[in-house]
């Protein structure tokens, strides 16, 4: 590991010498960083990486941040970086790698995820959006409706799961596409959340044409590929060691320290209990990272999202109570369309409401429990009534 | 305190080394052989055919009594990380051995106070026990309730609920006229009365100690003053940190056994473990157990590095105590009627978990400590 580090340090130094962040434009610096293989070091050479262990990225990021170099604003393209990129890398053709990965990393093209539909959320394999081949042009013609699509209003491309064969059982009839969000027939409407803002959207797809070379993998392989995406989503764990009291627990602790008059014995006990749990989650996260670094991901990883969601909800709920009548004031109900997700930004009331999404987005806590119980603990699967039935014959 | 003065978290190595993995394998194998369930349950009926055999295998064959004794005193010179591996296995097996009380707690105290001769005897397998109430969390906590005094040329007092006895040597903290002191008293000395009491956790005996020993018999104290307080605090923190490993091991065993049982047991024409209500409880427990293991590893690493000890230990105790009890309670419930029986190994873990919950400070006591350590004072602070 340490020889990788000294090699990376040299590469970073060379990059900084050739492109002084103080005098180099942001875009030019990011392009040079990509070319140096320092974009995501675990990607292959030529695709922004060096084929090194994934956790070394944090080391590179730290070095560059310390030198005042610009980053690629990862918070603005979470789905692109966390989900689309690993899926395209794993299942894409060399041409697709060439076409999509670089602009994605540079933040020139923002991505969203067109999975969920009004009739298919947890049961993702039930999607009804159709993709039909047009023999004459080699294109696909897509029709359907997607929902709860984060960042669709900003996105240039989408990862899309659509039905290409309704005559086989549901998992077998899906295909995976890379769809241009600026194409004719794509309509994005803001969908207001309980926080007041519209972070996600409804997306209506009407005769949208997707070029044949934007099918990812083969026809009918959509379910398997979608699982790559979902696994990336669930294990996408930050590279850095997290400081004590980072995130939601820090917010509550700060409120506690600055509002001595609001303290009660009951809230004190709850706060200390949650502080311990947050510290336990932080320590578990660092062990998961250490395991990843030596290439042996431990099973704990699959439970981190479950734990994180519950903690965020309990901590933010406590904070609203602590604030008393101040907790009743909400900062702003305006319908805004934010360009990034900020779980800990804004006021306590917002944090409380936004945290409710943590146990729904990216797979509900109930679905995660099923996955842990079945795939990790080896308990029997749920009874399946839809297994051998063609999708078109399923009750809807 | 503001967030700026919060003790920063060190970046500790939480992965097992090859040495630790080998050690775990041998300890597990020995305990599997020496601690059968029937023998452990018989302890509560007053039949002890297990403690001596188990300890002699651990202390004699594997040399674990001397694990934390420095090499120059005939020990293995290992550290808290290795001790945590042993403690974790003792928790899994519910082993009735004085590893935590003698090889960890007493040995750490003797080492800190430079008792070379006494350490040498620990290395040869001799046992020792600290004579304080089982729930003692810190030296301060002990001195508040200090029951033994050295007056009129005699060491006199009663200490209820001591763990780690029978043992060869008693380590007796005393509130002397010149502040705290630590006396070493042979368990067989005249004037020592040990009364075994029935323990909730029969695998960890509980003893009431009555002392009325002439001071010349007990010799001069091993140490006096602040040194004793500091050494006691260190030893109690070390033991509490390694108790977390025991609790993590116990919790992991409970989860594994419960999953195994529910994967076999059929009701309503199905394997019971296929019911979602149970799958979800086990998934939650799985998340807790994984975290307990990481948190215990963190406490052991902090002790080994001598960094962040107070916070790491308090977090580990507050967290792992609760997880162990939860895991054991879930295990009993999900084993159904079987879980309620004397024959099942599950109740042994429940009793051990609940006793561990109290031992060396309850989770509440450790959370109280954290309130000060991390700057989250209670309402009374204004
Ligand atoms: C803030 C936010 C952002 C999102 N962003 C996106 C996005 O960008 N792209 C996208 O495609 N989707 C997105 N989603 C949608 C999200 O993935 C779905 O909401 C989620 O998968 C759950 O599906 P559902 O809403 O249809 O709930 P349902 O599946 O209808 O579930 C309803 C309830 O039943 C429970 N349930 C369902 N099935 C089971 C089962 N088998 N066992 C036990 N309980 C079950 C669920 O846990 C839930 O409590 C987002 C959601 C939120 C909240």
């Amino acid at each position: 590991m340490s020889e990788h580090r000294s090699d990376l340090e040299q590469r970073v130094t060379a990059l900084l010498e050739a492109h002084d962040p103080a005098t180099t434009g942001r875009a030019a610096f990011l392009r040079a960083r990509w070319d140096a293989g320092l974009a995501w070091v675990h990607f292959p050479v030529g695709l922004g990486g060096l084929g090194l262990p994934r956790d070394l990225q944090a080391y590179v990021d730290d070095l560059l941040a310390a030198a005042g170099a610009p980053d690629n604003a990862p918070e603005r393209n979470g789905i692109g970086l966390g989900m689309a990129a690993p899926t395209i890398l794993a299942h894409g053709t060399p041409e697709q790698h060439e076409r999509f990965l670089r602009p994605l990393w540079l933040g020139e093209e923002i991505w969203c995820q067109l999975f969920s539909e009004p009739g298919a959320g947890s049961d993702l394999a039930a999607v009804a959006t159709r993709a039909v081949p047009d023999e004459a042009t080699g294109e696909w013609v897509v029709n359907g409706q997607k929902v709860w699509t984060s960042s669709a209003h900003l996105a240039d491309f989408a990862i899309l799961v659509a039905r290409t064969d309704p005559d086989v059982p549901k998992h077998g009839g899906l295909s995976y596409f890379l769809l241009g969000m600026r194409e004719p027939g794509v309509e994005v409407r803001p969908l207001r959340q309980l926080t007041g803002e519209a972070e996600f959207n409804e997306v209506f797809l009407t005769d949208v044409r997707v070029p044949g070379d934007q099918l990812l993998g083969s026809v009918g392989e959509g379910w398997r590929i979608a699982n790559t995406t979902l696994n990336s989503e669930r294990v996408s764990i930050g590279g850095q060691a997290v400081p004590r009291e980072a995130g939601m627990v820090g917010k509550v602790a700060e409120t506690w320290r600055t509002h001595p008059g609001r303290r009660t014995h009951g809230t004190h006990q709850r706060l200390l209990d949650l502080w311990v749990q947050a510290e336990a989650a932080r320590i578990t996260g660092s062990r998961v990272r250490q395991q990843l670094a030596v290439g042996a991901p431990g099973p704990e990883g699959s439970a981190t999202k479950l734990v994180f969601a519950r903690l965020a909800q309990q901590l933010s709920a406590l904070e609203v109570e602590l604030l008393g009548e101040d907790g009743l004031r909400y900062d702003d109900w305006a319908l805004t369309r934010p360009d990034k997700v900020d779980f800990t930004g804004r006021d306590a009331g917002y944090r409380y409401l936004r945290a409710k999404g943590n146990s729904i987005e990216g797979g509900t806590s109930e679905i995660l429990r099923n996955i842990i119980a079945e795939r990790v603990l080896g308990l029997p699967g749920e009874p399946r009534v839809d297994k051998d039935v063609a999708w078109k014959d399923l009750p809807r | 305190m503001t967030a700026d003065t919060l003790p920063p978290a060190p970046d500790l190595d939480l992965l097992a080394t090859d040495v630790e993995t080998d050690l775990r394998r041998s300890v597990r194998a020995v305990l599997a052989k020496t601690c059968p369930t029937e023998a452990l349950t018989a302890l509560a009926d007053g039949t002890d055919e297990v403690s001596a055999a188990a300890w002699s295998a651990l202390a004699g064959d594997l040399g674990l009594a001397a694990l934390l004794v420095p090499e120059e005193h005939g020990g293995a010179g290992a550290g808290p990380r290795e001790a945590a591996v042993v403690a974790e296995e003792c928790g899994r097996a519910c082993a009735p051995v004085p590893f935590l009380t003698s090889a960890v707690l007493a040995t750490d105290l003797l080492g800190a106070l430079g008792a070379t001769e006494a350490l040498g005897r620990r290395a040869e397998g001799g046992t020792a026990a600290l004579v304080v109430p089982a729930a003692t969390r810190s030296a301060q906590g002990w001195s508040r309730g200090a029951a033994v005094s050295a007056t009129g040329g005699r060491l006199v007092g009663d200490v209820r609920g001591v763990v780690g006895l029978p043992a060869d040597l008693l380590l007796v903290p005393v509130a002397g006229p010149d502040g705290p002191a630590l006396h070493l008293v042979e368990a067989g000395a005249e004037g020592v009365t040990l009364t075994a009491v029935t323990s909730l956790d029969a695998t960890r005996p509980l003893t009431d100690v009555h002392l009325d020993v002439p001071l010349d018999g007990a010799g001069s104290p091993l140490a006096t003053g602040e040194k004793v307080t500091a050494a006691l605090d260190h030893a109690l923190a070390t033991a509490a940190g390694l108790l977390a490993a025991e609790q993590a091991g116990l919790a992991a065993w409970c989860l594994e056994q419960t999953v195994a049982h529910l994967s076999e047991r059929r009701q309503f024409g199905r394997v019971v473990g296929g019911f979602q209500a149970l799958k979800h409880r086990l998934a939650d427990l799985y998340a807790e157990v994984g975290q307990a293991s990481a948190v215990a590893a963190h406490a052991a690493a902090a002790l080994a590095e001598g960094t962040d000890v107070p916070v790491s230990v308090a977090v580990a105790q507050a967290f792992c105590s609760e997880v162990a009890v939860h895991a054991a309670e879930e295990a009993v419930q999900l084993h159904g009627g079987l879980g309620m029986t004397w024959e099942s190994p599950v109740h042994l873990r429940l009793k051990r978990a609940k006793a561990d919950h109290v031992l060396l400070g309850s989770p509440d006591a450790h959370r109280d400590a954290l309130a000060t350590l991390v700057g989250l004072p209670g309402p009374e602070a204004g």
Side-chain angles (χ1 to χ4, degrees):
Chain A
M1 195 63 45
S2 56
E3 76 277 18
H4 287 327
R5 286 191 181 225
S6 58
D7 172 50
L8 283 173
E9 192 183 342
Q10 280 170 23
R11 287 173 189 267
V12 168
T13 308
L15 171 69
L16 289 167
E17 270 165 15
H19 307 270
D20 181 355
T23 52
T24 312
R26 174 190 169 81
F29 185 88
L30 290 174
R31 277 186 219 115
R33 179 176 165 184
W34 168 277
D35 295 337
L38 297 172
W40 34 42
V41 296
H42 54 292
F43 270 48
V45 175
L47 293 176
L50 298 164
L52 294 177
R54 178 194 181 112
D55 77 303
L56 285 166
Q57 188 61 48
Y59 177 68
V60 171
D61 291 346
D62 289 348
L63 287 178
L64 287 170
D71 66 18
N72 64 343
E75 69 284 356
R76 290 189 58 247
N77 200 9
I79 289 175
L81 293 161
M83 302 169 75
T87 313
I88 294 170
L89 179 69
H91 299 280
T93 60
E95 292 72 29
Q96 288 169 333
H97 292 163
E98 271 309 305
R99 163 63 189 87
F100 291 110
L101 291 174
R102 193 166 186 267
L104 187 162
W105 184 83
L106 291 170
E108 291 168 358
E109 287 172 355
I110 302 294
W111 287 70
C112 68
Q113 176 195 18
L114 293 175
F115 282 15
S116 304
E117 297 182 3
S122 300
D123 188 6
L124 172 59
V127 296
T129 292
R130 284 297 311 271
V132 179
D134 177 348
E135 306 290 341
T137 63
E139 293 169 324
W140 293 85
V141 183
V142 178
N143 280 283
Q145 185 197 339
K146 295 287 175 175
V147 74
W148 308 306
T149 315
S150 304
S151 305
H153 53 290
L154 304 165
D156 305 284
F157 280 91
I159 44 179
L160 166 79
V161 175
R163 189 155 305 279
T164 40
D165 186 354
D167 297 322
V168 296
K170 61 181 182 180
H171 292 92
L174 300 171
S175 300
Y176 201 110
F177 298 92
L178 310 175
L179 175 135
M181 289 294 286
R182 315 279 186 207
E183 298 299 323
V186 179
E187 190 201 341
V188 177
R189 291 186 203 154
L191 186 56
R192 205 172 183 188
Q193 297 172 201
L194 78 179
T195 53
E197 64 188 350
E199 172 192 318
F200 54 30
N201 305 269
E202 293 180 295
V203 179
F204 297 85
L205 303 168
T206 313
D207 292 330
V208 183
R209 296 198 153 254
V210 179
D213 59 8
Q214 286 176 211
L215 170 75
L216 194 71
S218 348
V219 176
E221 229 193 341
W223 176 249
R224 193 168 74 82
I225 301 176
N227 271 301
T228 306
T229 311
L230 297 177
N231 289 338
S232 306
E233 180 174 27
R234 285 169 195 152
V235 297
S236 68
I237 296 161
Q240 283 97 331
V242 183
R244 186 166 271 160
E245 268 191 22
M248 200 70 90
V249 66
K251 294 285 180 188
V252 188
E254 188 186 320
T255 295
W256 182 268
R257 290 184 184 117
T258 49
H259 293 73
R262 302 251 189 238
R263 298 171 190 162
T264 65
H265 290 286
T267 48
H268 194 217
Q269 292 316 310
R270 277 165 63 198
L271 174 68
L272 292 171
D273 183 31
L274 291 171
W275 196 95
V276 168
Q277 290 190 45
E279 180 69 1
R282 187 189 69 77
I283 291 169
T284 309
S286 42
R287 182 156 81 174
V288 170
R289 269 189 298 278
Q290 293 177 9
Q291 285 165 334
L292 275 177
V294 297
E300 291 96 337
S302 46
T304 48
K305 179 177 181 285
L306 192 62
V307 167
F308 163 77
R310 195 187 48 215
L311 258 176
Q313 292 171 353
Q314 292 178 341
L315 286 163
S316 57
L318 175 62
E319 192 179 357
V320 172
E321 281 174 64
L322 275 180
L323 286 167
E325 55 277 8
D326 287 341
L328 299 182
R329 294 168 191 261
Y330 194 78
D331 59 2
D332 189 3
W333 288 117
L335 190 159
T336 53
R337 303 183 83 182
D339 68 352
K340 62 172 196 273
V341 185
D342 188 358
F343 295 125
T344 50
R346 294 181 53 175
D347 282 355
Y350 173 83
R351 288 198 277 279
Y352 170 72
L353 295 175
R354 181 59 185 82
K356 294 296 169 228
N358 294 152
S359 54
I360 301 172
E361 60 198 328
T364 68
S365 290
E366 288 75 22
I367 295 298
L368 288 177
R369 288 188 182 98
N370 282 351
I371 290 174
I372 293 169
E374 292 168 21
R375 299 202 201 146
V376 185
L377 301 178
L379 292 163
E382 292 301 295
R384 293 273 294 277
V385 292
D386 53 2
K387 201 162 170 228
D388 302 316
V389 187
W391 179 80
K392 64 175 174 25
D393 299 327
L394 287 173
R396 261 188 301 280
Chain B
M1 185 179 299
T2 66
D4 308 331
T5 53
L6 180 75
D11 199 6
L12 297 168
D13 179 5
L14 304 176
L15 303 183
T17 63
D18 292 345
V19 172
E20 287 161 32
T21 307
D22 288 346
L23 177 62
R24 177 182 308 285
R25 204 173 294 129
S26 17
V27 176
R28 189 174 296 189
V30 160
L31 291 176
K33 243 190 250 132
T34 53
C35 299
T37 301
E38 322 79 71
L40 293 176
T41 12
L43 282 172
D45 296 323
T47 309
D48 188 355
E49 286 174 356
V50 55
S51 310
W55 182 239
S56 112
L58 286 190
D61 304 353
L62 299 183
L64 296 181
L67 192 66
L68 293 181
V69 176
E71 282 173 34
E72 63 266 32
H73 303 307
R81 292 176 59 111
E82 292 77 19
V85 169
V86 180
E88 200 175 328
E89 292 306 314
C90 288
R92 287 185 68 94
C94 222
V97 291
F99 179 75
L100 190 75
T101 50
S102 179
V104 173
L105 178 55
T107 302
D108 190 88
L109 187 55
L110 291 170
L113 296 176
T116 49
E117 196 264 338
L119 277 176
R121 278 162 58 206
R122 259 13 76 206
E124 287 154 17
T127 49
L130 176 64
V131 181
V132 297
T136 301
R137 189 187 68 75
S138 66
Q140 205 196 0
W142 158 77
S143 61
R144 266 206 298 270
V148 182
S149 61
T151 44
R154 298 186 78 76
L155 210 54
V156 180
D158 285 284
V159 185
R160 284 186 84 232
V162 175
V163 289
L165 294 169
D168 309 326
L169 184 67
L170 309 183
L171 280 51
V172 187
V174 171
D178 317 314
L182 190 83
H183 285 262
L184 302 187
V185 181
E186 293 298 329
E190 197 179 324
V192 176
T193 316
L194 304 179
T195 312
V197 291
T198 308
S199 171
L200 171 70
D201 170 18
T203 67
R204 178 119 62 203
L206 207 57
T207 308
D208 289 345
V209 178
H210 173 73
L211 296 171
D212 188 354
V213 188
L215 258 183
D216 49 352
S220 52
L222 176 61
T224 56
E226 275 310 301
K227 217 174 138 195
V228 172
T229 316
L232 262 178
D233 271 336
H234 188 268
L236 287 165
T238 303
L242 299 182
L243 175 62
E246 174 177 320
Q247 292 164 322
L250 184 150
W253 183 94
C254 289
L255 174 64
E256 284 162 29
Q257 292 295 310
T258 307
V259 168
H261 177 65
L262 296 187
S263 303
E264 299 276 305
R265 178 74 175 161
R266 299 179 76 92
Q267 296 287 308
F268 304 97
R270 285 168 64 183
V271 168
V272 176
F275 287 109
Q276 199 181 59
L278 306 195
K279 283 161 70 173
H280 284 194
R281 278 164 73 167
L282 290 171
D284 283 336
L285 191 56
Y286 164 82
E288 285 179 38
V289 167
Q291 292 191 87
S293 152
V295 165
H298 191 268
L303 286 162
E305 304 279 320
T307 170
D308 196 46
V309 169
V311 174
S312 293
V313 166
V315 166
Q317 266 310 298
F319 192 82
C320 297
S321 288
E322 308 273 31
V323 173
V325 168
H326 185 217
E329 290 179 346
E330 287 289 79
V332 170
Q333 172 68 20
L334 299 181
H335 275 75
L338 195 61
M340 210 58 203
T341 65
W342 192 248
E343 285 76 29
S344 149
V346 175
H347 70 99
L348 293 166
R349 271 69 181 188
L350 176 69
K351 294 164 186 171
R352 182 75 167 247
K354 194 62 194 173
D356 281 356
H357 205 242
V358 173
L359 196 63
L360 299 169
S362 67
D364 246 330
H366 286 281
R367 283 190 290 260
D368 259 5
L370 275 175
T372 310
L373 289 167
V374 304
L376 296 170
E380 62 285 349

